[in-house]
Amino acid sequence: MMVGRGLVNRCAALLALLLSLAVAPQARAEDGYALWLRYTPLEGEALARLEAFSPAIITGTDYLPTDTDEAAVEELERGIESLLGHPLPRRSERKGSILLRCHDNGRDVGDGSFTIRSTGTTIHIGGRDPRSCLYGAFALLRELSQGAHPLSIKLDEKPAMPLRLLNHWDNPEGTVERGYAGRSIFDWWTLPEHFDRRLIDYARANASLGINGTVVNNVGASPLFLTDAYVPKLARLADELRPYGIRIYISARFSAPVEVGGLPTADPLDPRVQAWWKTRADALYAAIPDFGGFLVKANSEGQPGPQDYGRTHAEGANLLARAIGDRGVVIWRAFVYSATDETDRAKQAYNEFVPLDGKFDDNVIVQVKNGPIDFQPREPFHPLFGAMPHTRLILETQITKEYLGFTTHLVFLAPMWKDVLDADTGRGASVAEVVQPAGMAGVANTGSDRTWSGSHFDQANWYAFGRLAWDPGLSSEAIAREWAAQTFSRAPQFLDAVVPMMLRSRQATVDYMTPLGLTHQMATGHHYGPGPWVCDLGRPEWNPCYYHRADAAGIGFDRTETGSNALEQYAPAVAARWRDPRTIDEDYLLWFHHVPWTFHTQSGRPLWDELVHRYDRGIEAVDGMARTWATLEPHVDAERFADVGDFLRVQQREARWWRDASLAYWQSLNGLPLPQGARMPEHSLDYYRALTFPEEPGHPHAPN
Ligand code: GCW
């Protein structure tokens, strides 16, 4: 009896094994950890071409390979073996070669520019410093992963801007402000002795995009990072990331001389304070010769800064810049809004910073968010771009989706960043051209989650940030396509469905959250769901009411001459495009104009009907995304297919929540019936107002 059952069990096990071997290769379990560096085995002709090439990977024989060269070789071996689906043949049996030759007599002169060319059966990757070979290796793998013919790949690439930085809002104890993907990936507690190998995969992912620097701690900075105890921790991290072309930076707390320096003041003009910062910078550079520099959030949202001593942002920034000297940079954030200034919040950074143009030292860079308020689903570009011709500006974007549904809403951000980069400032340059001498910074969405980003599709935003910082001329479509091909499937049927879905996702979110130029309608604190009714918080600009200004007669923020006149901060040609509510791009209508509910929009519908239409359009788009995804099961491994489907269901439900709660509130003000055929909100306004989410992730200390 026992024997009989054993036999049955063994047969069943054998059958299960046979069945599992019979399923398609894409069905193997995946959890998203590998990001876009999966190097899924090629098939068909692409596989045959790579087999015929089976290269030896060789670095130039006339110089000593660096750690960076070695990282490039290792990645090529790993990638090509995986694309082949088997280990490379022994060296003597290899058919072609990849020759890496990136050096300039040992001098570090390059910026990572590289060329890829083939002659005969050899692919040459060349450039002037080891980073060229690293970036070239990843670029070659990106092409091969998409099925390109190895010997016809020809690339000539140069990074568009020098600084391509991640900004981590990670706190030393492991929480992440506005982080939705678990805990911090940096474990300060166990450094320097222990280094989490996961960070090598983080470094590979960044290097694959050309990201070349990382600010490791939150801009609401802990002074701990400026203590002696943190020097060896930072040095270990820098040593491990250096082979991948990544320099480290820290956010510096302006009041640190008082908190950890034992001084009675942090006044930038006090010689003791100046000496303290110089000593700290020297200690960091002694341990980390290529330390990138300091990032500073000062006099904003309660952070300390030079204004506490009656000094300007320029005096504060120059204090740190002189401590750093020509060894690195000080990146000073323009995201400031005063606790006392009653001016339109959208105007404050411009008002404070334009008068300081030309007063910053050469190694200071001013970091400007994409829009004048705060990472909203849609904002016009920040008026500081083009308005400070004597100051280097770096563009700050937010990869983590604080105001865009965190990780459960699928929103591909490349179209948003392209809007900003491509915007003509009207002052002789696009935003991309304005920031070209400095670069781009992205508030990271990484965390301890297996997916790194909290969801599979949020990886695309990390990817898109890096690709755009390398080349802002890339189209959102090209980025979506290469990401999706590497991350999920290179099948054209898959890509033709998923890419348009990604491209539409941002407008969908704008429509169901803040249509027609509405902004900052998110509920207090966590910034997740809708809260248009919030009107009673301490500071006016913490309240959604401040931004929508709705009443029985109309809605919108008048930023023209009759209102705050924020419009005048833009170049005349740009202001002219936005001045007239009848001709403005309606995605900015309520950002710049207060109009009656009966206002005639470009569709011919009255504003109220158009608003309802746009909320509904957003919901339809999300429903469409869910339908599209459901058809893609044959192309995606089971675990990730289910994960994405689950989150799309959350997004469908929450798009309806956004619409219904917002409409219930607008109706409570305007008393208007819904247009014919429109669905009634599912619940009463009181129901929506009563919802609370004390367990929301991502706001460990945030006040609003
Ligand atoms: O978007 C806001 C966030 C704050 C953040 C701030 C900033 C780090 O709500 O959490 O603080 O921006 O950019 O400084």
Side-chain angles (χ1 to χ4, degrees):
M1 189 63 193
M2 288 300 290
V3 172
R5 189 177 297 151
L7 189 64
V8 170
N9 284 348
R10 276 202 299 279
C11 287
L14 189 64
L15 190 65
L17 179 69
L18 288 173
L19 280 175
S20 76
L21 291 175
V23 294
Q26 67 265 22
R28 77 200 151 109
E30 295 209 42
D31 58 11
Y33 180 83
L35 295 162
W36 47 90
L37 302 175
R38 289 164 64 246
Y39 309 126
T40 321
L42 292 168
E43 287 155 356
E45 271 177 42
L47 178 60
R49 287 193 299 249
L50 193 62
E51 287 285 6
F53 179 51
S54 288
I57 298 156
I58 314 161
T59 51
T61 47
D62 53 338
Y63 65 98
L64 216 56
T66 63
D67 288 351
T68 301
D69 291 302
E70 272 161 21
V73 171
E74 210 174 282
E75 193 71 30
L76 282 169
E77 277 173 356
R78 170 208 297 254
I80 291 175
E81 290 197 342
S82 177
L83 288 167
L84 286 170
H86 59 74
L88 277 162
R90 273 181 306 167
R91 273 196 170 237
S92 55
E93 289 160 19
R94 300 215 188 151
K95 298 160 193 153
S97 49
I98 299 177
L99 177 62
L100 290 83
R101 194 170 189 290
C102 297
H103 89 140
D104 192 307
N105 298 321
R107 288 178 303 162
D108 195 358
V109 286
D111 58 2
S113 298
F114 64 86
T115 56
I116 300 182
R117 294 274 183 284
S118 317
T119 47
T121 54
T122 303
I123 297 180
H124 302 260
I125 304 183
R128 297 185 68 193
D129 72 319
R131 279 184 303 263
S132 304
C133 276
L134 184 69
Y135 297 152
F138 278 110
L140 181 66
L141 288 168
R142 177 158 60 232
E143 297 293 323
L144 292 175
S145 292
Q146 292 176 79
H149 190 311
L151 294 169
S152 66
I153 297 170
K154 192 168 167 245
L155 294 175
D156 213 330
E157 297 213 6
K158 179 176 170 49
M161 21 192 145
L163 300 181
R164 306 176 298 276
L165 309 180
L166 287 185
N167 287 185
H168 289 272
W169 285 357
D170 296 24
N171 299 313
E173 83 292 1
T175 55
V176 183
E177 182 157 342
R178 312 306 178 184
Y180 313 107
R183 290 177 59 78
S184 174
I185 52 175
F186 303 112
D187 186 357
W188 300 105
W189 188 250
T190 59
L191 276 165
E193 289 81 2
H194 175 67
F195 174 79
D196 184 352
R197 304 307 299 167
R198 184 176 169 140
L199 288 176
I200 294 298
D201 290 329
Y202 161 84
R204 289 174 51 234
N206 284 324
S208 76
L209 306 170
I211 290 173
N212 64 356
T214 182
V215 186
V216 296
N217 63 311
N218 192 359
V219 287
S222 161
L224 278 178
F225 287 87
L226 287 158
T227 59
D228 282 337
Y230 269 63
V231 173
K233 295 175 191 281
L234 291 162
R236 174 84 198 267
L237 192 59
D239 289 345
E240 300 282 356
L241 300 187
R242 188 171 298 114
Y244 297 89
I246 298 169
R247 293 173 76 172
I248 68 164
Y249 301 66
I250 59 171
S251 294
R253 184 167 174 84
F254 198 79
S255 52
V258 177
E259 287 146 352
V260 294
L263 294 179
T265 176
D267 181 351
L269 301 194
D270 187 309
R272 291 167 300 175
V273 174
Q274 294 164 356
W276 186 84
W277 281 105
K278 176 78 170 55
T279 309
R280 290 324 306 159
D282 289 349
L284 286 162
Y285 279 101
I288 313 169
D290 58 354
F291 178 66
F294 297 135
L295 171 66
V296 186
K297 171 175 180 175
N299 294 119
S300 176
E301 299 187 309
Q303 293 298 313
Q307 293 176 346
D308 303 347
Y309 304 93
R311 315 296 181 197
T312 67
H313 283 292
E315 286 168 320
N318 294 344
L319 160 75
L320 271 58
R322 287 169 199 166
I324 294 252
D326 59 8
R327 299 173 289 190
V329 292
V330 169
I331 305 177
W332 196 266
R333 296 177 85 228
F335 176 74
V336 291
Y337 64 100
S338 137
T340 49
D341 192 339
E342 292 312 318
T343 325
D344 175 1
R345 176 176 168 189
K347 294 178 71 176
Q348 291 186 21
Y350 181 103
N351 287 347
E352 277 195 50
F353 278 80
V354 169
L356 299 176
D357 189 28
K359 299 209 165 78
F360 291 99
D361 284 4
D362 286 349
N363 60 338
V364 175
I365 295 172
V366 172
Q367 180 159 304
V368 182
K369 287 190 180 181
N370 58 276
I373 299 283
D374 190 7
F375 299 138
Q376 296 301 305
R378 189 188 288 282
E379 295 188 42
F381 71 87
H382 202 299
L384 275 176
F385 293 117
M388 294 185 71
H390 306 294
T391 309
R392 274 188 296 165
L393 303 184
I394 183 168
L395 167 63
E396 179 175 324
T397 58
Q398 198 189 44
I399 307 171
T400 188
K401 303 197 325 294
E402 173 182 356
Y403 293 94
L404 286 130
F406 301 178
T407 54
T408 40
H409 292 211
L410 192 165
V411 191
F412 180 51
L413 298 177
M416 165 150 98
W417 300 330
K418 283 293 284 181
D419 279 359
V420 179
L421 287 162
D422 292 348
D424 181 357
T425 63
R427 296 188 162 108
S430 66
V431 172
E433 287 163 342
V434 168
V435 301
Q436 185 277 326
M440 277 174 73
V443 179
N445 66 350
T446 48
S448 57
D449 191 275
R450 280 297 290 173
T451 63
W452 296 90
S453 302
S455 83
H456 301 296
F457 271 87
D458 277 310
Q459 298 176 352
N461 293 324
W462 181 4
Y463 186 91
F465 166 77
R467 295 292 283 142
L468 285 173
W470 179 271
D471 180 2
L474 290 171
S475 70
S476 301
E477 180 176 359
I479 296 171
R481 206 166 174 93
E482 61 179 44
W483 173 80
Q486 294 168 89
T487 304
F488 285 114
S489 160
R490 52 179 87 87
Q493 311 89 299
F494 173 79
L495 296 174
D496 291 345
V498 92
V499 170
M501 166 181 132
M502 290 170 74
L503 295 178
R504 279 197 297 267
S505 61
R506 186 279 187 120
Q507 184 64 38
T509 303
V510 169
D511 284 342
Y512 65 73
M513 285 188 180
T514 49
L516 286 171
L518 284 172
T519 204
H520 217 306
Q521 297 304 298
M522 293 74 194
T524 312
H526 49 71
H527 296 162
Y528 192 60
W533 46 80
V534 177
C535 301
D536 57 356
L537 300 177
R539 295 274 317 138
E541 68 283 338
W542 290 350
N543 295 292
C545 288
Y546 172 87
Y547 299 96
H548 64 62
R549 313 223 152 181
D551 58 20
I555 182 168
F557 197 132
D558 182 2
R559 293 195 162 100
T560 68
E561 290 84 343
T562 51
S564 79
N565 209 9
L567 205 52
E568 76 172 350
Q569 295 183 335
Y570 290 93
V574 175
R577 282 208 313 271
W578 290 331
R579 184 165 289 116
D580 186 342
R582 287 163 310 174
T583 54
I584 192 173
D585 171 351
E586 285 182 337
D587 273 318
Y588 299 119
L589 178 64
L590 303 178
W591 179 285
F592 284 111
H593 299 280
H594 184 85
V595 292
W597 295 104
T598 51
F599 176 81
H600 275 278
T601 64
Q602 290 158 24
S603 66
R605 284 184 278 267
L607 182 90
W608 172 235
D609 295 35
E610 180 67 17
L611 202 59
V612 177
H613 166 73
R614 296 233 177 174
Y615 283 115
D616 283 329
R617 187 173 83 176
I619 292 172
E620 277 158 31
V622 177
D623 289 349
M625 282 159 54
R627 277 196 304 274
T628 301
W629 186 254
T631 66
L632 298 177
E633 187 161 12
H635 301 285
V636 183
D637 44 280
E639 187 173 335
R640 292 189 303 160
F641 178 76
D643 289 347
V644 173
D646 292 348
F647 280 8
L648 281 167
R649 274 187 290 284
V650 174
Q651 189 173 3
Q652 286 180 283
R653 170 165 51 77
E654 294 188 344
R656 288 170 169 76
W657 169 34
W658 264 98
R659 177 233 188 237
D660 288 0
S662 305
L663 288 182
Y665 177 67
W666 306 135
Q667 282 194 295
S668 77
L669 299 178
N670 64 19
L672 292 170
L674 288 174
Q676 227 187 352
R679 181 176 59 75
M680 290 284 286
E682 198 180 337
H683 299 283
S684 70
L685 177 58
D686 287 345
Y687 168 89
Y688 295 114
R689 291 178 71 127
L691 297 175
T692 58
F693 302 93
E695 79 284 35
E696 284 287 346
H699 58 124
H701 329 283
N704 70 319

